[in-house]
Amino acid sequence: MSLNRRSKNITEGVARAPNRSMYYGMGYKEGDFVKPMIGVANGHSTITPCNSGLQKLADAAVEGIKEAGGNAQVFGTPTISDGMAMGTEGMKYSLVSREVISDCVETCVGGQWMDGVIVIGGCDKNMPGGLMGMLRANVPAIYVYGGTIMPGHYKGKDLNIVSVFEAVGQFTAGNMSEEDFCQIEKRAIPGTGSCGGMYTANTMSSAFEALGISLPYSSTMANIEDEKTVNTKESARVLVEAIRQDIKPRDIVTKKAIENAVAVIMATGGSTNAVLHFLAIAHAAEVDWTIDDFERMRKKVPVLCDLKPSGEYLAIDLHRAGGIPQVMKILLNAGLLHGDALTITGQTMAEVLAHVPDEPRADQKVIHSIEHAIYAEGHLAILKGNLAPEGCVAKITGLKNPVMTGPARVFDDEQSGLAAIMAKQIKAGDVMVLRYLGPKGGPGMPEMLAPTGALIGQGLGESVGLITDGRFSGGTWGMVVGHVAPEAAAGGLIALIQEGDSITIDSHQLLLQLNVDDAEIARRRALWKAPAPRYTRGVLAKFAHNASSASTGAVLDKFE
């Protein structure tokens, strides 16, 4: 392959003079036109701490590309801060931003005929959005994660963003002083980087490392550490070599690679959002992958890492304990990883892991061996039943008893559900139903961290169930079930639940069931009418109109 698609495909002579003239205006020299043109998709913004530390990485990428013999072409991608938007109307734009980011990457790479692209991002949707765009464009590409945040501290305890949401519940329950509440709010986020537990950002970065589309150890580095900048420059060098070898994203993101990624998600106790995003990533890669594949993987991969939200430690602790390569080496030795999967370095995954120790170090408590796994099976269960014939997602680890039957407390939006919790109207044994919050109904499938955090703060995390056709934050844990499909706006059974109905959540039987007889369900269905769209113009309206079911990734280009 030519190192420069543009010089190869543009007619020689006069016809390409206007094209080159534009580059001369940006300082290019004659010799630059034989070098690869490499995009730098820069997610830097001052919207959120997750992305406010990315400019130094973009600068390092540009420097690395130039040193390796390429031309860097920088363009921007947007971001939405889930942490800042949580509980507001703005949260509806979060999943939408995944599609916008993917469109940005595909559009710029395709429109400018780039030879490769390095995507740099931090907040949750930056990663799936960036990779989906990389897969659509399918020129050599590498992902650089912006890095995790360091923990905050107060009264001898580590803090992170979820500490604040849970403090809201503790304060309203009368179990925390106003002074402590304010201090936690001020100290939880000490600087730049993405949310520190194995929440969605760190889940996706870890999975990308397992895919082989990011460099080893890169997924758990802290944004403020110098090694993150050094790693970005090395990523640029590796990308230029991948262009020379013509290694494309679809060569890397195969079914074996996705199985490796999902194995790591299970082993690290990752976010429920990974299910949604990997369905979308597989769709972009044209890999045969369904929601049932997650359950297949869950049954054979144990949880090896003691990480928040249901565990003890943060991503930076995982990094210091050996990082994702150590987790992967344990899985590889147990026959739970495909060692022959290709990586962006040109090596197989087994070759990448060759020098990683077979067992985790004895002086750390984050990573466990197979023999001392925290749970024998994975934590992300796919439940089905009359309430979710297409499936739904439950995070079942960390619960004393992941089975309950209780009366429905029904809410057609998040805010009224949260208000009921804050007013102490939700009692142990209740099953909250938050609906019309799916891809079409929300629209945008907002996350429910505010109500789940408030429940945990009030001590109801294991005694109150919550089901929704919306999503959960990676920081959520408790008796919660999300991504219920079909969603309420599409006429799913969740739309027909009435106050006081009996609902069963049974993670042992993988069951989500409305305990109402078929005749009554038929009667209710005959009376049900689809609600009018909440938005009729703009990006939310377009998303609501085009989004597929959560069970297929809530993608916008799944045309029948």
Side-chain angles (χ1 to χ4, degrees):
M1 172 187 167
S2 167
L3 286 187
N4 191 301
R5 295 197 303 162
R6 182 175 293 278
S7 64
K8 179 180 179 181
N9 287 276
I10 296 176
T11 305
E12 296 294 329
V14 176
R16 74 179 184 183
N19 177 282
R20 286 194 173 192
S21 181
M22 301 291 282
Y23 286 97
Y24 286 135
M26 294 187 292
Y28 280 61
K29 308 298 182 185
E30 184 69 24
D32 288 326
F33 295 106
V34 297
K35 298 176 182 179
M37 301 290 190
I38 301 173
V40 179
N42 182 9
H44 171 81
S45 76
T46 55
I47 288 173
T48 169
C50 308
N51 289 54
S52 62
L54 298 188
Q55 187 58 50
K56 63 181 180 181
L57 304 185
D59 293 341
V62 170
E63 184 178 350
I65 288 168
K66 289 180 178 178
E67 288 181 4
N71 295 312
Q73 299 184 316
V74 182
F75 61 93
T77 63
T79 195
I80 297 297
S81 171
D82 292 25
M84 293 176 177
M86 201 73 67
T88 73
E89 196 76 0
M91 187 67 224
K92 295 178 179 180
Y93 289 87
S94 171
L95 185 59
V96 173
S97 74
R98 183 190 74 181
E99 304 304 311
V100 176
I101 293 165
S102 62
D103 289 349
C104 283
V105 173
E106 179 190 4
T107 300
C108 287
V109 172
Q112 295 305 122
W113 207 244
M114 293 172 181
D115 298 293
V117 63
I118 181 169
V119 182
I120 304 170
C123 202
D124 295 9
K125 309 311 172 296
N126 292 187
M127 276 156 286
L131 180 53
M132 289 160 65
M134 289 156 60
L135 286 162
R136 292 181 199 161
N138 202 35
V139 299
I142 193 168
Y143 200 95
V144 171
Y145 176 46
T148 189
I149 198 171
M150 299 296 279
H153 302 282
Y154 182 59
K155 289 189 173 180
K157 292 184 178 181
D158 285 350
L159 300 175
N160 62 87
I161 184 61
V162 177
S163 305
V164 183
F165 284 94
E166 294 182 1
V168 170
Q170 291 175 287
F171 180 64
T172 58
N175 297 325
M176 178 179 288
S177 70
E178 184 174 358
E179 172 65 16
D180 285 346
F181 176 75
C182 291
Q183 289 300 321
I184 288 171
E185 180 186 28
K186 292 175 181 177
R187 296 169 184 253
I189 307 297
T192 58
S194 298
C195 298
M198 192 47 69
Y199 310 144
T200 303
N202 286 322
T203 297
M204 296 308 295
S205 69
S206 299
F208 281 16
E209 185 177 326
L211 277 176
I213 204 74
S214 296
L215 293 189
Y217 298 101
S218 64
S219 66
T220 51
M221 293 175 177
N223 175 262
I224 64 169
E225 300 287 349
D226 289 341
E227 66 175 347
K228 188 72 249 186
T229 305
V230 173
N231 175 264
T232 303
K233 194 171 179 180
E234 174 63 10
S235 297
R237 185 198 66 77
V238 168
L239 175 59
V240 174
E241 182 58 30
I243 293 171
R244 293 191 174 99
Q245 296 184 38
D246 198 23
I247 300 173
K248 298 185 179 73
R250 293 197 190 190
D251 300 325
I252 296 168
V253 184
T254 62
K255 188 162 187 174
K256 284 185 177 181
I258 291 178
E259 288 189 346
N260 285 351
V262 174
V264 165
I265 291 164
M266 295 295 178
T268 56
S271 167
T272 53
N273 283 311
V275 175
L276 188 79
H277 296 325
F278 266 92
L279 288 167
I281 288 165
H283 175 73
E286 296 186 81
V287 170
D288 181 19
W289 187 266
T290 73
I291 195 169
D292 294 323
D293 286 307
F294 291 95
E295 184 59 31
R296 173 175 60 84
M297 294 296 296
R298 183 188 73 83
K299 290 178 180 177
K300 65 180 183 179
V301 181
V303 178
L304 301 178
C305 299
D306 186 13
L307 295 166
K308 291 183 181 298
S310 57
E312 182 67 23
Y313 298 100
L314 297 171
I316 192 62
D317 301 311
L318 173 60
H319 187 62
R320 292 165 179 162
I324 293 302
Q326 182 64 83
V327 178
M328 294 188 75
K329 188 60 173 286
I330 296 168
L331 294 173
L332 179 66
N333 289 344
L336 297 172
L337 212 67
H338 298 289
D340 58 344
L342 179 68
T343 74
I344 188 63
T345 65
Q347 297 174 294
T348 66
M349 188 57 73
E351 290 170 336
V352 168
L353 300 174
H355 300 294
V356 177
D358 289 333
E359 295 292 333
R361 297 197 320 268
D363 66 344
Q364 58 81 42
K365 298 180 180 179
V366 184
I367 307 170
H368 293 230
S369 65
I370 291 285
E371 294 75 20
H372 298 94
I374 300 172
Y375 300 99
E377 295 182 339
H379 63 300
L380 297 179
I382 304 303
L383 278 54
K384 293 190 175 182
N386 67 357
L387 268 174
E390 294 179 13
C392 57
V393 186
K395 186 184 287 188
I396 62 175
T397 54
L399 299 175
K400 296 183 180 71
N401 181 24
V403 178
M404 74 175 295
T405 296
R409 303 296 310 279
V410 182
F411 304 92
D412 287 348
D413 57 69
E414 176 188 5
Q415 287 72 28
S416 58
L418 178 61
I421 296 169
M422 303 295 277
K424 300 183 181 179
Q425 296 171 356
I426 304 300
K427 309 298 182 184
D430 288 344
V431 178
M432 295 187 71
V433 178
L434 274 62
R435 64 189 181 189
Y436 293 103
L437 296 166
K440 293 181 178 296
M445 211 177 173
E447 293 180 349
M448 301 293 110
L449 181 57
T452 59
L455 286 172
I456 290 168
Q458 291 189 9
L460 298 172
E462 294 202 52
S463 59
V464 169
L466 191 154
I467 71 170
T468 181
D469 49 8
R471 298 182 295 125
F472 293 114
S473 163
T476 292
W477 70 275
M479 196 64 178
V480 297
V481 181
H483 309 199
V484 172
E487 62 175 292
L493 186 56
I494 190 172
L496 307 184
I497 299 172
Q498 294 183 0
E499 188 82 7
D501 283 349
S502 172
I503 294 175
T504 295
I505 305 170
D506 189 335
S507 297
H508 294 318
Q509 300 296 320
L510 302 178
L511 179 68
L512 183 65
Q513 188 77 14
L514 175 64
N515 302 311
V516 172
D517 66 62
D518 292 344
E520 174 59 17
I521 290 173
R523 186 191 70 80
R524 295 180 189 180
R525 186 169 298 284
L527 297 173
W528 180 80
K529 293 182 180 179
R534 288 175 169 165
Y535 297 85
T536 58
R537 291 289 186 275
V539 68
L540 290 178
K542 288 189 286 187
F543 189 92
H545 182 75
N546 291 303
S548 73
S549 169
S551 65
T552 56
V555 296
L556 303 188
D557 59 349
K558 189 174 177 62
F559 306 118
E560 299 299 336

mmCIF file of all heavy atoms in Angstrom, residues 496 517-527:
data_model
loop_
_atom_site.group_PDB
_atom_site.id
_atom_site.type_symbol
_atom_site.label_atom_id
_atom_site.label_comp_id
_atom_site.label_asym_id
_atom_site.label_seq_id
_atom_site.Cartn_x
_atom_site.Cartn_y
_atom_site.Cartn_z
ATOM 1 N N LEU A 496 -46.744 -1.411 30.321
ATOM 2 C CA LEU A 496 -48.070 -1.825 30.820
ATOM 3 C C LEU A 496 -48.093 -2.099 32.312
ATOM 4 O O LEU A 496 -49.146 -2.440 32.862
ATOM 5 C CB LEU A 496 -48.526 -3.075 30.055
ATOM 6 C CG LEU A 496 -48.510 -2.989 28.524
ATOM 7 C CD1 LEU A 496 -49.076 -4.271 27.927
ATOM 8 C CD2 LEU A 496 -49.280 -1.764 28.030
ATOM 9 N N ASP A 517 -51.496 -12.048 34.876
ATOM 10 C CA ASP A 517 -51.922 -13.078 33.914
ATOM 11 C C ASP A 517 -52.066 -12.508 32.505
ATOM 12 O O ASP A 517 -52.228 -11.299 32.304
ATOM 13 C CB ASP A 517 -53.213 -13.759 34.375
ATOM 14 C CG ASP A 517 -54.408 -12.827 34.386
ATOM 15 O OD1 ASP A 517 -54.776 -12.316 33.306
ATOM 16 O OD2 ASP A 517 -54.988 -12.622 35.471
ATOM 17 N N ASP A 518 -52.003 -13.394 31.538
ATOM 18 C CA ASP A 518 -51.982 -13.002 30.132
ATOM 19 C C ASP A 518 -53.228 -12.229 29.708
ATOM 20 O O ASP A 518 -53.158 -11.315 28.888
ATOM 21 C CB ASP A 518 -51.824 -14.241 29.241
ATOM 22 C CG ASP A 518 -50.449 -14.885 29.380
ATOM 23 O OD1 ASP A 518 -49.535 -14.217 29.917
ATOM 24 O OD2 ASP A 518 -50.292 -16.048 28.962
ATOM 25 N N ALA A 519 -54.386 -12.599 30.264
ATOM 26 C CA ALA A 519 -55.631 -11.923 29.892
ATOM 27 C C ALA A 519 -55.606 -10.456 30.304
ATOM 28 O O ALA A 519 -56.026 -9.565 29.553
ATOM 29 C CB ALA A 519 -56.829 -12.640 30.521
ATOM 30 N N GLU A 520 -55.085 -10.190 31.509
ATOM 31 C CA GLU A 520 -55.000 -8.818 31.991
ATOM 32 C C GLU A 520 -53.979 -8.028 31.165
ATOM 33 O O GLU A 520 -54.200 -6.846 30.831
ATOM 34 C CB GLU A 520 -54.618 -8.789 33.462
ATOM 35 C CG GLU A 520 -54.349 -7.414 34.055
ATOM 36 C CD GLU A 520 -55.521 -6.452 33.970
ATOM 37 O OE1 GLU A 520 -56.666 -6.902 33.737
ATOM 38 O OE2 GLU A 520 -55.297 -5.239 34.137
ATOM 39 N N ILE A 521 -52.882 -8.676 30.817
ATOM 40 C CA ILE A 521 -51.875 -8.007 29.978
ATOM 41 C C ILE A 521 -52.482 -7.640 28.626
ATOM 42 O O ILE A 521 -52.275 -6.532 28.112
ATOM 43 C CB ILE A 521 -50.634 -8.904 29.804
ATOM 44 C CG1 ILE A 521 -49.871 -8.998 31.128
ATOM 45 C CG2 ILE A 521 -49.727 -8.382 28.693
ATOM 46 C CD1 ILE A 521 -48.716 -9.982 31.117
ATOM 47 N N ALA A 522 -53.254 -8.555 28.043
ATOM 48 C CA ALA A 522 -53.899 -8.294 26.750
ATOM 49 C C ALA A 522 -54.882 -7.132 26.867
ATOM 50 O O ALA A 522 -54.993 -6.294 25.954
ATOM 51 C CB ALA A 522 -54.600 -9.550 26.257
ATOM 52 N N ARG A 523 -55.618 -7.078 27.968
ATOM 53 C CA ARG A 523 -56.562 -5.983 28.178
ATOM 54 C C ARG A 523 -55.841 -4.643 28.229
ATOM 55 O O ARG A 523 -56.248 -3.656 27.591
ATOM 56 C CB ARG A 523 -57.351 -6.203 29.471
ATOM 57 C CG ARG A 523 -58.468 -5.181 29.717
ATOM 58 C CD ARG A 523 -59.043 -5.284 31.110
ATOM 59 N NE ARG A 523 -58.080 -4.820 32.116
ATOM 60 C CZ ARG A 523 -57.863 -3.533 32.406
ATOM 61 N NH1 ARG A 523 -58.517 -2.569 31.751
ATOM 62 N NH2 ARG A 523 -56.989 -3.197 33.331
ATOM 63 N N ARG A 524 -54.730 -4.605 28.975
ATOM 64 C CA ARG A 524 -53.965 -3.362 29.087
ATOM 65 C C ARG A 524 -53.351 -2.954 27.738
ATOM 66 O O ARG A 524 -53.321 -1.771 27.391
ATOM 67 C CB ARG A 524 -52.850 -3.520 30.127
ATOM 68 C CG ARG A 524 -53.348 -3.728 31.550
ATOM 69 C CD ARG A 524 -52.176 -3.887 32.509
ATOM 70 N NE ARG A 524 -52.602 -4.283 33.841
ATOM 71 C CZ ARG A 524 -51.766 -4.495 34.863
ATOM 72 N NH1 ARG A 524 -50.457 -4.354 34.683
ATOM 73 N NH2 ARG A 524 -52.232 -4.863 36.048
ATOM 74 N N ARG A 525 -52.876 -3.960 27.004
ATOM 75 C CA ARG A 525 -52.240 -3.654 25.722
ATOM 76 C C ARG A 525 -53.235 -3.029 24.751
ATOM 77 O O ARG A 525 -52.889 -2.125 23.974
ATOM 78 C CB ARG A 525 -51.619 -4.908 25.123
ATOM 79 C CG ARG A 525 -50.816 -4.625 23.846
ATOM 80 C CD ARG A 525 -49.980 -5.804 23.407
ATOM 81 N NE ARG A 525 -48.986 -6.181 24.382
ATOM 82 C CZ ARG A 525 -47.853 -5.519 24.601
ATOM 83 N NH1 ARG A 525 -47.606 -4.402 23.937
ATOM 84 N NH2 ARG A 525 -46.996 -5.949 25.496
ATOM 85 N N ALA A 526 -54.473 -3.494 24.794
ATOM 86 C CA ALA A 526 -55.499 -2.957 23.899
ATOM 87 C C ALA A 526 -55.789 -1.483 24.199
ATOM 88 O O ALA A 526 -56.211 -0.731 23.315
ATOM 89 C CB ALA A 526 -56.770 -3.784 24.020
ATOM 90 N N LEU A 527 -55.537 -1.072 25.427
ATOM 91 C CA LEU A 527 -55.801 0.307 25.835
ATOM 92 C C LEU A 527 -54.588 1.222 25.670
ATOM 93 O O LEU A 527 -54.730 2.453 25.697
ATOM 94 C CB LEU A 527 -56.254 0.335 27.302
ATOM 95 C CG LEU A 527 -57.564 -0.387 27.625
ATOM 96 C CD1 LEU A 527 -57.788 -0.410 29.145
ATOM 97 C CD2 LEU A 527 -58.733 0.277 26.921
#
